[in-house]
Amino acid sequence: MTVEQITKVIYDAIDDKIGQDISIIKIGDMSSLCDYFVIATAGSQRQVKAITDNVEDELTKLGIEPRGKEGHGAQNWILLDYGDVMVHVFDEESREYYKLEKLWADAPRIDVDTLV
């Protein structure tokens, strides 16, 4: 699978669990960290976990496992590291506080329909 196809699967898995304000940011031209950030908001800490569990389940079906996971204890921000794609799922308060989109303001936003 291409990075873009994986990113689309991630987007769809978040959308399936009613993730809000899903953003795809292409940071690969600005950083060696990864190619894409996928950022989403959940309505509660419980939903943060449900969304990230669904992302993991959908990618596991494809034989793709995260390289790392952070935040499962607190559940107000969970990060899933898939190498070329990093998934950030926040509760509303944490997303507003950390403002990742503002930190990467110069990176292009990607429309999900252009990924496949």
Side-chain angles (χ1 to χ4, degrees):
M1 290 189 86
T2 67
V3 170
E4 288 76 16
Q5 289 170 324
I6 293 168
T7 304
K8 174 75 164 91
V9 169
I10 292 167
Y11 181 96
D12 289 343
I14 293 169
D15 192 48
D16 285 347
K17 292 296 179 183
I18 322 291
Q20 304 161 15
D21 195 20
I22 307 168
S23 295
I24 302 169
I25 303 173
K26 185 174 183 180
I27 69 163
D29 294 336
M30 302 176 68
S31 171
S32 62
L33 187 61
C34 65
D35 289 333
Y36 294 99
F37 274 174
V38 181
I39 304 169
T41 303
S44 67
Q45 290 181 354
R46 186 178 199 175
Q47 189 185 17
V48 170
K49 183 172 181 345
I51 289 170
T52 55
D53 285 350
N54 197 48
V55 170
E56 285 189 82
D57 291 346
E58 292 301 313
L59 289 177
T60 295
K61 290 177 189 176
L62 300 171
I64 302 168
E65 298 296 331
R67 293 182 180 180
K69 299 183 247 185
E70 297 291 334
H72 274 274
Q75 296 181 6
N76 58 339
W77 174 13
I78 295 178
L79 166 69
L80 300 174
D81 179 356
Y82 286 97
D84 293 328
V85 184
M86 290 195 178
V87 182
H88 301 267
V89 181
F90 295 92
D91 66 14
E92 293 173 11
E93 183 179 324
S94 296
R95 185 158 182 186
E96 177 62 28
Y97 180 79
Y98 288 104
K99 298 181 182 183
L100 283 186
E101 289 95 343
K102 187 173 182 180
L103 290 173
W104 295 96
D106 293 337
R109 293 343 186 229
I110 305 299
D111 185 326
V112 68
D113 295 327
T114 66
L115 289 174
V116 181

